[in-house]
Amino acid sequence: MGLVLLGFPAVLEAQEADPCLICHTEPAMFAATGDPDRFVVTPDSQDGSVHGGFGLSCSSCHPGMEYPHPERPEVSCSPCHSGLETTFAESLHGYAKERGNARAPDCAHCHGSHQILSSSDPRSPTHKVRLPNTCAECHGQAGLLTDELVRLPQSFQQYASSVHGQGTARGVAAAASCADCHSVHDLKGPADPESRINPINVASTCGQCHPDIQLRYDASIHGRALRAGVTDSPTCTDCHGEHL
């Protein structure tokens, strides 16, 4: 094990605590992969993450990692986040993943891998102001335009031009971001009665920010008709648009 870094107490301490770091603190070990940063984990990156204070070992998230490692090592968030993992599995993203869509996101796609930051941290890819750009990695022009399973693949371009998108682009945290309308882990399609974007629920979704307008809509002939089961009665997005 000639890769032990003598003279670096923080690294040595981390290596003693978790033998995985004997190799995974060394970029040279992974130079042949073409993407060594993907495999390198430093004590600083772990300590600076939302998980840093919990003393988690590598095997907490990567169970059963015998050497040599499998080509596609298992990553599991369920030991700590079993509820969220179940919720995600029942979402549109989870459904796409179960169907074998290689482009379906998992936890790391949105949250990152080792240096995961709280969503309240402005540097986090899941921070409200940055979230549209995170979603745009798939739902933007360079994302899923060729994926026949994804509806509205250019939704980010429309959102970016909207009054909501212009607000988040200026850093206005009160402006509606993706999760405000679509939810976080339990994204569901408009046909699902539990979905925030199901026609019967759209007014209450918009009412999170526009409560006075929601009250007027609910009392209107359109709102009353929708509650009575007239599903073609217009709701907010029929007049104002969805993302644009």
Side-chain angles (χ1 to χ4, degrees):
M1 291 296 183
L3 292 170
V4 175
L5 302 181
L6 298 175
F8 291 85
V11 174
L12 284 173
E13 183 179 344
Q15 290 175 347
E16 291 173 2
D18 199 327
C20 301
L21 297 181
I22 293 173
C23 292
H24 286 277
T25 51
E26 280 293 312
M29 286 286 293
F30 307 99
T33 65
D35 186 16
D37 290 342
R38 178 186 167 204
F39 301 96
V40 173
V41 185
T42 65
D44 287 341
S45 70
Q46 285 186 308
D47 291 343
S49 77
V50 72
H51 294 143
F54 295 102
L56 299 177
S57 66
C58 299
S59 58
S60 299
C61 302
H62 299 280
M65 289 290 286
E66 302 296 332
Y67 191 85
H69 300 326
E71 184 176 345
R72 292 185 176 276
E74 180 184 352
V75 181
S76 177
C77 302
S78 61
C80 299
H81 302 289
S82 58
L84 289 179
E85 201 163 73
T86 300
T87 299
F88 172 82
E90 297 172 351
S91 72
L92 286 177
H93 289 155
Y95 176 62
K97 192 172 182 64
E98 184 180 356
R99 289 184 65 181
N101 189 331
R103 305 177 77 172
D106 56 17
C107 307
H109 275 93
C110 301
H111 291 279
S113 53
H114 297 103
Q115 195 167 12
I116 297 176
L117 302 174
S118 167
S119 293
S120 62
D121 190 316
R123 298 170 298 164
S124 170
T126 60
H127 183 269
K128 186 174 181 179
V129 169
R130 296 190 63 186
L131 185 60
N133 289 306
T134 299
C135 297
E137 292 178 10
C138 292
H139 295 281
Q141 192 166 6
L144 297 177
L145 291 178
T146 60
D147 195 322
E148 62 182 15
L149 299 177
V150 175
R151 185 171 172 270
L152 297 176
Q154 296 196 62
S155 51
F156 174 73
Q157 280 73 23
Q158 297 172 346
Y159 170 83
S161 300
S162 74
V163 66
H164 294 152
Q166 291 172 28
T168 56
R170 294 196 304 271
V172 179
S177 188
C178 310
D180 292 309
C181 300
H182 292 280
S183 193
V184 183
H185 298 101
D186 57 337
L187 290 91
K188 298 183 184 299
D192 191 316
E194 296 183 358
S195 170
R196 290 189 183 185
I197 58 172
N198 180 279
I200 198 70
N201 299 325
V202 166
S204 60
T205 296
C206 298
Q208 296 175 108
C209 296
H210 306 287
D212 293 341
I213 296 174
Q214 182 196 347
L215 289 174
R216 292 201 291 273
Y217 171 82
D218 286 344
S220 75
I221 191 169
H222 292 155
R224 287 184 284 127
L226 193 60
R227 289 197 305 278
V230 183
T231 56
D232 59 351
S233 181
T235 187
C236 312
T237 50
D238 291 298
C239 298
H240 292 279
E242 294 175 339
H243 297 100
L244 189 57

